[in-house]
Amino acid sequence: MLPLLAVFGCFTLYFLGYKFYSGFLSKSIFQLKDTVGDTPAHKFNDGVDYLPTKPAVLFGHHYASIAGLAPILGPAVAVIWGWLPAMLWVVFGGIFIGCVHDFGAIVVSVRNQGKSIGQVAQDLLGPRARSLFHAIIFFLVALAMGVFVIVLAEMFSADPKLKQAPVTPTPQIEQTQTAPSIKDHVHPSEVRVETPSSPIKLRSHFPEAVIPTAGIMVFAVLVGWLHYKKGMKLGPLTFASVTLTLIVMVLGMNESILTWTGLNDIDKSPGVPIWKIILLAYAFLASVTPVWLLLQSRDYINSFLLYLGIIAIYFGFVKGSIFGEFSSFNAEAIRTEKVDMDIIPFVFITIACGAVSGFHALVSSGTTAKQLDREIDARVIGYGGMIGESLLGLTSVVACTIGFASAGEWSSFYKSWSGIQGLAPSVGAYIYGTGRFISQLGFDEGFAQGFIALVVVSFALTSLDSATRLLRYNIEEIAESFNSETIRKILGNRYVSSIIACVAIGFFAFLQIDQNGKKTTAGLALWKLFGTTNQLLAGLALLVITIYLLYSKKKTWISFIPMIFVLGATLWAMVINFYDFIFSKSPSYLLATVGGVLIFLTVWLLLEAILAWRRFSKA
C-alpha cells in the first residue's frame, strides 16, 4: 500500500499548494485584478497574436504547449537514482518553484504589455540583458526544436527493419533471453539495448500516429473558424472534435488502413528527410496563421487527450493498488549502487519540465500572456497549468517504478545510465508501465499501451508548433534593437521572421557535422547542452520576476530563493559538464566551446542583475 499512500500524499500536497500558496501569491504578492479590459489581449487585440480567450480554452492551449515529451522523459530517466528523489523534486519543485516560475512569468508579461521575458529583461535590467536573453533563447529553442523535428520524423516514418511495422505501438515484455544486437547510439529516438536481459522491446517508429495527428489539425481549423467566425458555442464543438479525434485514433491503429495508405511500408511512406520538411512546413503555418485558427484550437483539442490519459492512468493505478496488483515501488527509495552521473545536481537537471522549465517562461510570456482575458485567470492557467504538468511528471515516476512487474525487471532495465538514454528507452518504459495501469480498467493491455503511445506522439508536436511561434517572436524582438528602420520592418514581418525561425530549426535538424569521427546532425551533437540551458533559462526568468517584485516593492523571497537554487544547481552542472567535455576519454571541444560561452553569458547576465538590484535598492 506504500505506493498508493505516497501518491495520495502527493495529491494532497498539490491541493494544498494550489488552494493556499497560489492564493497567497495571487492576493498578497501579485494582487491580480478581476476586471475585463485591462490585459494586453484587450488593449492590443489584433486577431493574430493578441486575442482575449476563454480561460478553459487558454488553459488547454497553455497546458498542451508546456506538456510535451519532456515531463515524461525526464522523470523516466531520473528514477534511476531511486523513486524518492524523483518524486520529491517533481512535487515540491513543481509547487514551490515551477508553479511560481510559470505564474510569475505570465503576470510580469501581462503587466508589461504582453512582452516576452526577454523584452521585460530590457526594461528591468537594461538593453545588454535583453540581448543576452535573446541569444540564450534563440539557441535553446532552435536546438530543442531541431532535435524534436528529428525525433518526430523518426516517429512518423515506417520502421526500416520491418516491411510492414506492427500496428500496435506497444513495448512488450521479453520472454526469451536471445541476445539482441548491441551498438552505440547517439540519436535520442534510436533503440538502445544495454544487455541481453533488457526486459522491454523498444520502438522508435510510430506511423500509427500520422492519421490521428493530421485529423486533429483539420478538426482544430474547423473548431477555430466555427467558434470565432461563426459564433458557434464551444461546448458542442468540443464534444464533436474530441469524439472525432478518438475515432480517428482508433482508425489510425487499424492495420488495413495503414496498409492502404502505405504508412507502415518503408517503400511507400515518406522517408525521414521528407518528414522533416513536412514538419517544418507545418511549423511555419502554425507560426504565421492567426493563433485562434490552428495553434490555440489544436492545443485545446489535444489537451483533452492528455486529461483523458492522465485520469485513466491514475484510476487504473488506484484500482490495481486496492486489489494488490501494485503493492511495491520495485525500485529502491534511494539507489545505493553508484550511477555514472551524480544524483546532485543532475537529478534537478534531468527531471526538468516535470518540476521547472525555462521553456515555460517563453510560453507564458510569449503566447499565453497575449491571450489572457483577465489577470485573475493567470492563477489557474499559470500555477494550475504547472500543477497539471507536475501531475504528468508524477505519472512517469510511478509508471517507471511501480508499473514494472517486478524489482528484477526494473533492475535489469535501469542497470546503467547509458542504457536508458534516448527516446525509445524512456518512452518505452513509460508506455509499458502506464499500459499496465490502464489495463486494470478492463481494457486490453495492448490497446492501452497503444493509446498512450499515440497520446505521447501527438503531444510531441505541440512543442514544435508553439516553439516556432515563440522563436518568431524572439527574432522580431531582436529586430527592434537595430537602428535601421528597413531591418526592423523586414525582420518584423511575421512571414520573414517565421522563415528565419524555420531555417534555424532546420539547421540543427539537417546539418551534418563530424563528432568523434562520426557524422551526426548539429542538433544531436549539441543535445547534451539542452538540459542545462533549459534550467538556466528558468533561473534567469526567476531572476527577472525577482527584479520585477523588487521594483514593485513586493516580497521577493517567493522567487529569489527558487532562483538561487535553480541557478546554483544549473551552474554546478554546467561546470561539471564543461570539465567532462574537455578531459573525458572522448573529449568534445564543440560542446566545451558552446558550453563555455553559455557559462560566460550567464555570469554576465548575473552581473547585470546585481547592478540593477543596486539601482532599485538605492531608488
Side-chain angles (χ1 to χ4, degrees):
M1 291 294 288
L2 176 61
L4 184 61
L5 293 175
V7 170
F8 273 129
C10 294
F11 287 171
T12 302
L13 290 171
Y14 286 133
F15 171 78
L16 295 175
Y18 183 80
K19 181 173 179 58
F20 295 106
Y21 195 49
S22 73
F24 165 72
L25 295 175
S26 178
K27 297 175 183 177
S28 301
I29 303 298
F30 297 125
Q31 297 176 340
L32 302 183
K33 301 174 184 177
D34 190 12
T35 55
V36 177
D38 291 334
T39 63
H42 289 278
K43 295 177 181 177
F44 309 111
N45 187 353
D46 60 4
V48 178
D49 297 317
Y50 292 87
L51 181 72
T53 304
K54 294 179 180 179
V57 176
L58 185 55
F59 182 91
H61 164 62
H62 178 82
Y63 190 28
S65 295
I66 64 174
L69 285 175
I72 293 173
L73 302 183
V77 173
V79 294
I80 194 172
W81 289 297
W83 63 265
L84 186 58
M87 182 175 288
L88 289 177
W89 179 238
V90 165
V91 176
F92 285 100
I95 292 172
F96 294 107
I97 301 181
C99 291
V100 175
H101 169 276
D102 293 15
F103 190 7
I106 293 177
V107 173
V108 169
S109 177
V110 168
R111 298 271 174 84
N112 286 270
Q113 302 178 336
K115 295 178 181 178
S116 74
I117 201 72
Q119 284 182 305
V120 175
Q122 175 185 356
D123 297 339
L124 297 176
L125 305 179
R128 289 191 300 269
R130 176 199 60 187
S131 299
L132 294 172
F133 252 100
H134 283 155
I136 294 172
I137 292 170
F138 187 91
F139 173 76
L140 171 69
V141 177
L143 168 64
M145 293 309 106
V147 174
F148 265 53
V149 166
I150 297 170
V151 170
L152 285 165
E154 289 274 355
M155 285 179 161
F156 288 149
S157 64
D159 192 340
K161 297 178 183 178
L162 301 172
K163 182 65 177 179
Q164 287 191 332
V167 298
T168 305
T170 60
Q172 300 289 340
I173 293 297
E174 184 70 69
Q175 298 296 333
T176 68
Q177 297 297 317
T178 304
S181 60
I182 302 174
K183 68 173 186 175
D184 293 328
H185 296 275
V186 296
H187 197 298
S189 72
E190 284 185 328
V191 176
R192 298 167 182 260
V193 182
E194 184 68 17
T195 68
S197 59
S198 179
I200 299 178
K201 293 179 180 179
L202 306 171
R203 287 186 55 199
S204 58
H205 298 272
F206 298 91
E208 302 86 349
V210 174
I211 294 175
T213 300
I216 291 174
M217 293 178 188
V218 173
F219 303 150
V221 172
L222 290 174
V223 168
W225 180 69
L226 291 173
H227 179 60
Y228 284 102
K229 295 301 180 182
K230 296 300 179 181
M232 289 187 64
K233 292 183 178 181
L234 187 61
L237 289 174
T238 300
F239 177 79
S241 60
V242 173
T243 301
L244 289 173
T245 297
L246 293 175
I247 293 173
V248 172
M249 288 182 68
V250 174
L251 292 176
M253 297 171 64
N254 184 274
E255 182 178 3
S256 60
I257 292 178
L258 285 172
T259 302
W260 178 69
T261 59
L263 289 171
N264 62 348
D265 190 331
I266 189 64
D267 296 326
K268 298 178 181 178
S269 65
V272 170
I274 300 300
W275 275 120
K276 289 181 182 180
I277 294 173
I278 293 173
L279 288 166
L280 288 172
Y282 164 72
F284 174 81
L285 289 175
S287 177
V288 300
T289 52
V291 68
W292 56 265
L293 183 61
L294 177 58
L295 187 66
Q296 182 192 92
S297 49
R298 181 187 179 277
D299 288 347
Y300 175 65
I301 296 171
N302 255 342
S303 68
F304 282 92
L305 296 180
L306 187 53
Y307 305 153
L308 180 61
I310 290 178
I311 291 171
I313 289 168
Y314 279 121
F315 268 81
F317 164 72
V318 171
K319 180 182 177 183
S321 297
I322 291 174
F323 287 96
E325 184 69 22
F326 307 116
S327 59
S328 171
F329 274 99
N330 296 321
E332 294 177 275
I334 301 177
R335 188 165 183 164
T336 54
E337 182 182 357
K338 184 175 176 58
V339 180
D340 291 345
M341 302 292 284
D342 294 331
I343 184 173
I344 304 295
F346 288 101
V347 67
F348 309 118
I349 308 302
T350 302
I351 288 179
C353 297
V356 58
S357 168
F359 179 73
H360 294 191
L362 305 184
V363 175
S364 297
S365 66
T367 59
T368 303
K370 294 178 174 64
Q371 302 173 64
L372 200 71
D373 186 32
R374 300 174 302 162
E375 280 192 0
I376 198 70
D377 296 338
R379 178 185 178 186
V380 66
I381 293 169
Y383 198 100
M386 185 57 215
I387 288 287
E389 172 116 339
S390 187
L391 276 166
L392 181 60
L394 184 61
T395 67
S396 186
V397 174
V398 297
C400 296
T401 53
I402 307 165
F404 278 70
S406 67
E409 187 177 273
W410 185 90
S411 298
S412 177
F413 187 79
Y414 283 94
K415 184 176 182 179
S416 71
W417 177 263
S418 61
I420 58 170
Q421 299 304 296
L423 178 75
S426 45
V427 168
Y430 181 78
I431 292 172
Y432 169 59
T434 52
R436 292 190 69 224
F437 292 158
I438 295 177
S439 68
Q440 298 299 310
L441 301 177
F443 294 100
D444 175 75
E445 188 169 331
F447 175 84
Q449 292 177 342
F451 168 71
I452 292 297
L454 291 174
V455 170
V456 168
V457 170
S458 68
F459 272 90
L461 198 58
T462 63
S463 296
L464 175 63
D465 53 21
S466 295
T468 305
R469 199 178 192 96
L470 295 172
L471 190 56
R472 181 200 118 200
Y473 293 157
N474 190 62
I475 293 169
E476 292 172 356
E477 292 167 8
I478 292 174
E480 294 176 5
S481 63
F482 287 91
N483 293 325
S484 172
E485 179 65 28
T486 302
I487 293 178
R488 290 200 300 269
K489 185 175 181 180
I490 293 175
L491 295 183
N493 181 282
R494 72 175 187 266
Y495 295 97
V496 175
S497 56
S498 295
I499 290 174
I500 296 174
C502 290
V503 169
I505 294 171
F507 170 85
F508 288 104
F510 280 99
L511 182 67
Q512 297 283 320
I513 63 174
D514 287 315
Q515 186 182 38
N516 299 327
K518 298 179 181 179
K519 283 284 188 180
T520 185
T521 58
L524 298 177
L526 295 169
W527 181 246
K528 287 185 178 180
L529 298 172
F530 171 75
T532 51
T533 307
N534 185 39
Q535 296 306 98
L536 169 63
L537 184 58
L540 295 177
L542 287 166
L543 170 63
V544 171
I545 295 169
T546 301
I547 298 296
Y548 166 79
L549 292 174
L550 179 67
Y551 180 78
S552 304
K553 298 181 179 180
K554 300 286 176 36
K555 296 175 181 178
T556 60
W557 61 266
I558 61 103
S559 57
F560 179 76
I561 295 175
M563 175 201 74
I564 293 297
F565 185 87
V566 173
L567 285 179
T570 303
L571 285 171
W572 183 0
M574 292 175 77
V575 171
I576 293 174
N577 284 338
F578 180 73
Y579 180 87
D580 289 341
F581 292 153
I582 297 177
F583 298 106
S584 65
K585 293 181 180 179
S586 301
S588 174
Y589 298 111
L590 173 63
L591 290 172
T593 300
V594 179
V597 170
L598 288 172
I599 293 174
F600 172 75
L601 293 178
T602 303
V603 173
W604 187 358
L605 195 50
L606 289 175
L607 292 175
E608 294 285 345
I610 293 173
L611 293 175
W613 189 292
R614 293 181 62 182
R615 289 196 303 268
F616 291 139
S617 297
K618 291 179 180 179

